[in-house]
Amino acid sequence: MAPKKFMALSKYPDIDVTIYEAAKEFSEVGAGIGVWPRVWKILAHLGLDEDLARITAVKPSYNECDTFIFRKSDQPEGHDFYKLQTQGTFLRYHRPDVLEVLIKHLPPHYKTHFSRRLNSYTQTSSGNIELFFYDGTVETCNLLIGADGIKSAVRRSLLSEQAKKAASTGRLKEADQLLRSIEPKWTGIVAYRALIPTDRLTAYRDAHPEQNIRYMGQNVNVVVYPISSGSLINIGAFHAREELAGTPFQGPWVTNVEKDELLAVHADWEPELQAILQCIDKPSRWAVHTSHPLRSWVSGNVTILGDAAHAMSPQQASGAGQAIEDAFILATLLGHRLTRLENINQALSIYDNIRRPVATEVAERSLVNGRLFGLQLPGVDADKDTERLPEIGDAIKENWKWTWSTTLDASIRDAVQMLENANISRAYL
Ligand SMILES: Cc1cc2nc3c(=O)[nH]c(=O)nc-3n(C[C@H](O)[C@H](O)[C@H](O)COP(=O)(O)OP(=O)(O)OC[C@H]3O[C@@H](n4cnc5c(N)ncnc54)[C@H](O)[C@@H]3O)c2cc1C
């Protein structure tokens, strides 16, 4: 969803933005996406809320609401064990609908070049950056923001550059570590994704498709929620094998599979879940990869954001939200009156200091959520201690509540303060 990252800069007309996109057009793969109140506040600040509110069935609110039902389902008879209440709505969308809104709001003066896949970049000490594309073309710029996803070419060049610098000063172990951090790693999780027309599902079972439900079992969870103003149901079935985390995934990361594969892996589950899966036509299977946490997202006048910087497991529904937070803080710093081309590295360094620890923590929380959704809580045997299942619900709520109980405001204040302090100290030098 590339455009989400460029909107934040649109408030600053003196920044000349050119977007290079590898695809033929902006497009979105995948099905549903959820937006938490913390991110909604940023989207509202960017003026996207009205259009985004129009394309979701649930109206945005900051009031307390019922957000998910957690249900134990890996058995012949399932049962609800927890109602997750949140302060504010978890808004659910069909990804292409969101993309359409974002494209509509892209400032017309931005230059966008499609079918331009970046291969690598080099930069001189004076801050001039040369961009090398697979089609053989070369462009130049004086600030490069790599928002190019989990397989980021900018990340690759940036880490190679950092490694070269480390090696040149004898820090060989660090150089080696940097190079090893380029490739994403497999989490041991595969996610089956699919969409079902709501009519088909309601005809099939007497349930409540307007609800968000997480069907949970040992190391597996299936999230089900309506999107597209209720006309479609989004399904995500996550299967975790933690012992495989860090091993190479064999085969393509995303592939279409037969419905039978999905049915087979839930063969012992309750009929309600089976009925939902029966309604699926074409599931796809995604090998969930994450990126290695880094010690810096900056090299000279180059930085990274979103999945390029911190691809995370999707179990906090926060990867895109974190990309939006990155973009907002970065744009605030770049657009600040004290930032000029000569001191741009200062803005990048503050962005890095503010955002990296937050995104790294969210990535860790996502893995914790994944374990809890798979009913793994030390000391609790989910099959035997059923009366203790609500403890798992409480642990999930505790781990997730930052998404509705905090805002980005403090980070924005800190970032601006750091920038202003740095410039005051410089003035006295
Ligand atoms: C199953 C699943 C469910 C998820 N659910 C949620 C959710 O509910 N909420 C949430 O917030 N997040 C969710 N996420 C995470 C979210 O999808 C990602 O974190 C988000 O899409 C990352 O955005 P990005 O812009 O950084 O990268 P991407 O969306 O990957 O965009 C990268 C862009 O860069 C382009 N590109 C790539 N390489 C190059 C190159 N070399 N040159 C030029 N262009 C290039 C691509 O074509 C693409 O347009 C989920 C992820 C998964 C897998």
Side-chain angles (χ1 to χ4, degrees):
M1 237 195 274
K4 65 182 168 285
K5 297 152 299 197
F6 309 111
M7 218 75 66
L9 275 172
S10 63
K11 282 202 300 175
Y12 310 104
D14 53 329
I15 302 178
D16 190 15
V17 177
T18 305
I19 302 167
Y20 297 100
E21 166 58 53
K24 284 203 290 283
E25 56 185 0
F26 290 130
S27 62
E28 190 42 89
V29 279
I33 187 154
V35 174
W36 288 107
R38 179 174 157 112
V39 178
W40 181 252
K41 200 170 170 197
I42 305 169
L43 296 171
H45 191 85
L46 292 171
L48 301 169
D49 49 341
E50 245 177 62
D51 283 342
L52 287 174
R54 252 183 243 126
I55 53 167
T56 175
V58 188
K59 290 303 148 216
S61 132
Y62 292 108
N63 297 329
E64 186 167 72
C65 46
D66 296 343
T67 290
F68 270 112
I69 287 172
F70 297 157
R71 189 171 165 85
K72 172 111 169 48
S73 281
D74 58 343
Q75 58 207 37
E77 206 173 313
H79 59 95
D80 295 355
F81 68 85
Y82 198 84
K83 190 183 274 184
L84 179 71
Q85 293 184 307
T86 60
Q87 195 67 37
T89 337
F90 175 60
L91 296 163
R92 292 96 50 180
Y93 291 99
H94 191 201
R95 286 175 180 245
D97 297 345
V98 179
L99 184 62
E100 213 178 296
V101 170
L102 295 175
I103 290 171
K104 177 181 157 195
H105 285 264
L106 262 187
H109 64 274
Y110 279 15
K111 295 181 261 323
T112 306
H113 302 280
F114 292 104
S115 302
R116 298 293 296 279
R117 182 174 290 279
L118 186 79
N119 184 359
S120 62
Y121 74 79
T122 59
Q123 60 181 326
T124 61
S125 50
S126 62
N128 199 35
I129 303 162
E130 278 198 309
L131 308 175
F132 301 95
F133 292 87
Y134 277 98
D135 62 7
T137 55
V138 181
E139 305 281 355
T140 55
C141 60
N142 36 36
L143 166 66
L144 173 62
I145 302 172
D148 48 349
I150 188 166
K151 295 180 180 169
S152 170
V154 179
R155 178 187 173 100
R156 176 180 298 279
S157 276
L158 183 144
L159 289 176
S160 305
E161 200 173 39
Q162 289 178 343
K164 204 166 156 192
K165 258 185 229 154
S168 70
T169 50
R171 291 173 289 136
L172 299 181
K173 224 169 144 186
E174 188 183 329
D176 184 50
Q177 184 59 39
L178 285 160
L179 293 175
R180 279 171 203 241
S181 302
I182 291 175
E183 294 303 330
K185 55 187 172 172
W186 185 36
T187 52
I189 300 170
V190 293
Y192 294 91
R193 303 174 85 180
L195 289 175
I196 306 174
T198 306
D199 296 350
R200 191 187 300 176
L201 186 58
T202 40
Y204 204 92
R205 67 181 195 134
D206 179 21
H208 307 284
E210 74 279 4
Q211 285 181 340
N212 306 337
I213 304 180
R214 255 186 207 268
Y215 295 90
M216 300 182 184
Q218 299 282 354
N219 297 310
V220 178
N221 76 92
V222 185
V223 64
V224 177
Y225 59 73
I227 54 173
S228 279
S229 304
S231 62
L232 292 170
I233 306 288
N234 176 65
I235 314 285
F238 297 87
H239 288 245
R241 288 187 58 192
E242 211 162 350
E243 73 280 9
L244 295 180
T247 63
F249 182 80
Q250 309 296 342
W253 289 11
V254 181
T255 181
N256 291 329
V257 294
E258 294 300 324
K259 180 167 79 177
D260 287 352
E261 177 176 330
L262 187 54
L263 290 173
V265 291
H266 296 95
D268 303 328
W269 287 49
E270 61 164 321
E272 177 171 323
L273 195 263
Q274 304 264 3
I276 296 172
L277 302 180
Q278 284 289 357
C279 295
I280 292 173
D281 280 334
K282 293 185 202 136
S284 54
R285 190 185 59 211
W286 298 54
V288 177
H289 285 71
T290 58
S291 46
H292 294 263
L294 301 180
R295 286 163 71 169
S296 166
W297 294 349
V298 178
S299 177
N301 284 8
V302 179
T303 192
I304 44 182
L305 65 70
D307 278 12
H310 49 67
M312 57 187 71
S313 135
Q315 311 249 33
Q316 287 234 326
S318 288
Q322 285 300 292
I324 290 167
E325 292 193 17
D326 292 343
F328 195 84
I329 294 276
L330 183 57
T332 303
L333 289 161
L334 292 175
H336 194 283
R337 65 189 160 76
L338 293 172
T339 301
R340 293 172 304 279
L341 201 50
E342 312 83 76
N343 66 359
I344 216 161
N345 188 261
Q346 188 180 67
L348 298 187
S349 153
I350 295 169
Y351 157 71
D352 184 35
N353 280 316
I354 295 274
R355 283 297 308 150
R356 202 164 28 81
V358 178
T360 306
E361 187 185 326
V362 175
E364 281 163 15
R365 285 180 185 274
S366 301
L367 292 173
V368 172
N369 259 26
R371 277 180 219 119
L372 293 167
F373 290 155
L375 303 178
Q376 304 302 313
L377 181 66
V380 175
D381 180 329
D383 288 328
K384 292 190 187 130
D385 310 330
T386 46
E387 78 291 350
R388 294 188 62 191
L389 285 173
E391 288 176 39
I392 295 184
D394 284 340
I396 294 169
K397 184 170 187 176
E398 186 58 31
N399 188 46
W400 219 354
K401 70 177 185 204
W402 67 273
T403 56
W404 63 86
S405 66
T406 66
T407 70
L408 191 66
D409 297 353
S411 288
I412 298 167
R413 265 196 312 273
D414 288 351
V416 170
Q417 190 74 61
M418 282 164 84
L419 187 73
E420 291 175 355
N421 287 349
N423 282 279
I424 291 166
S425 2
R426 187 164 292 209
Y428 282 100
L429 282 179

